[in-house]
Amino acid sequence: MEITHGGLLHSLLARLEYYKDPVECCLLTFPVAFDGSVTSIFWTLLHAGTLLVPTEDMHRDPLQLGELIFRHQVSHMVLVPSLYEAMLRSVPAASLQSLRVVVSAGESLPVSLVRRHHERLDTAALYNEYGPTEATVWSTVYRTTGTESGGRIPIGKPIASAAIYLLGEELSPVPVGVVGEIVIGGAGLARGYLNLPELTADRFVPNPFMPGTRFYRTGDLGLIRQDGNIEYLGRADSQVKVRGYRIELGEIESALSGLPGVRAAAVVVR
């Protein structure tokens, strides 16, 4: 992936514009090589805050992470919902009271987790961010209230540097409440995939609504609600995310089908 310095700059400026609470101490929950680390690292540096980097074994242990939060009085944290779920289940609420901002990213945020957060840690704001690496980490954001109803938590509205489109066949806009592909434009777009011109041409296409620019076809499905927030509905293909990592189920099925004695294979996420 070819991410530009300019794209990162626009992403960070949008973050500073949206989040007003200064980062005093941020817990890095993603490996440094993972795109999610960009948020915690640069967000903290811009506020001259402290970046707390756990050891590799701590990354997988909610209890140890909870101890770090309590000991170092962590104020901000960006993490996948599955890890936060484990933390809220196993770490005493008293150990998390220093948290002021919790950002969920990398996976769909369950309604049950939002309710549990507001029941146990209502002094901290919980945000749901959405955005692929191709758009420099984040493109939309939603602040939860704890009173959401229905089966899904919205991914929110576009950040300052992004333009979001919900498009149907032939890249035509769909009305409010109708399912379409989530397509992203704006200053945060990557140049494309390194040494993969065909894939780049397929996903980064000319933007007919802003001539001379491109947008990125995410392959994600969503709809715009009456309140203007976007709701994520899943993939248009078989790609899934597990702990923030993209996984192509078809590739696994193909590998399994090539094994001796295997006639056919089907892969699902549990």
Side-chain angles (χ1 to χ4, degrees):
M1 187 72 62
E2 294 185 282
I3 302 295
T4 68
H5 289 91
L8 177 59
L9 176 62
H10 282 284
S11 175
L12 293 171
L13 288 175
R15 186 166 297 280
L16 289 177
E17 180 177 329
Y18 184 82
Y19 292 101
K20 304 303 182 183
D21 201 326
V23 181
E24 295 177 1
C25 182
C26 182
L27 176 64
L28 180 63
T29 65
F30 294 105
V32 174
F34 191 70
D35 69 340
S37 67
V38 168
T39 299
S40 299
I41 294 172
F42 290 100
W43 193 12
T44 306
L45 289 175
L46 287 171
H47 286 281
T50 300
L51 181 67
L52 188 59
V53 183
T55 60
E56 187 172 346
D57 63 309
M58 288 181 177
H59 273 292
R60 305 184 182 186
D61 189 334
L63 288 174
Q64 291 193 67
L65 292 178
E67 174 62 25
L68 286 176
I69 292 170
F70 177 72
R71 189 191 319 156
H72 297 275
Q73 292 295 284
V74 171
S75 62
H76 290 61
M77 181 170 61
V78 184
L79 73 175
V80 293
S82 52
L83 177 57
Y84 191 43
E85 176 86 40
M87 290 180 66
L88 287 184
R89 288 187 180 276
S90 56
V91 179
S95 297
L96 305 176
Q97 290 305 307
S98 64
L99 289 169
R100 299 198 305 271
V101 174
V102 178
V103 177
S104 168
E107 296 172 348
S108 294
L109 178 61
V111 175
S112 59
L113 179 55
V114 173
R115 290 174 180 163
R116 185 171 292 111
H117 165 88
H118 285 280
E119 289 169 358
R120 297 198 61 204
L121 203 64
D122 203 28
T123 54
L126 175 62
Y127 297 87
N128 188 27
E129 289 187 5
Y130 164 85
T133 309
E134 289 86 347
T136 316
V137 185
W138 76 317
S139 302
T140 68
V141 60
Y142 172 79
R143 180 171 181 169
T144 67
T145 64
T147 60
E148 288 85 1
S149 59
R152 295 182 180 87
I153 299 297
I155 58 174
K157 299 177 181 180
I159 62 174
S161 61
I164 307 295
Y165 308 90
L166 273 293
L167 305 181
E169 295 182 2
E170 299 181 357
L171 299 180
S172 57
V174 298
V176 171
V178 175
V179 177
E181 181 182 5
I182 301 175
V183 179
I184 304 173
L189 286 191
R191 289 176 178 168
Y193 301 103
L194 183 63
N195 297 327
L196 295 172
E198 293 183 0
L199 182 58
T200 297
D202 179 61
R203 287 297 174 181
F204 292 86
V205 300
N207 184 345
F209 310 110
M210 295 184 65
T213 67
R214 302 173 304 150
F215 53 33
Y216 169 66
R217 300 188 61 177
T218 66
D220 292 333
L221 299 177
L223 58 80
I224 301 177
R225 306 195 320 184
Q226 292 291 341
D227 60 6
N229 283 301
I230 300 168
E231 198 171 292
Y232 171 78
L233 301 176
R235 293 287 301 176
D237 53 25
S238 62
Q239 186 186 95
V240 298
K241 273 194 173 183
V242 177
R243 300 194 182 102
Y245 291 91
R246 300 182 195 180
I247 297 174
E248 298 286 352
L249 298 183
E251 293 180 0
I252 302 175
E253 291 172 348
S254 178
L256 290 174
S257 298
L259 295 175
V262 177
R263 180 179 299 173
V267 178
V268 297
V269 177
R270 288 184 60 188

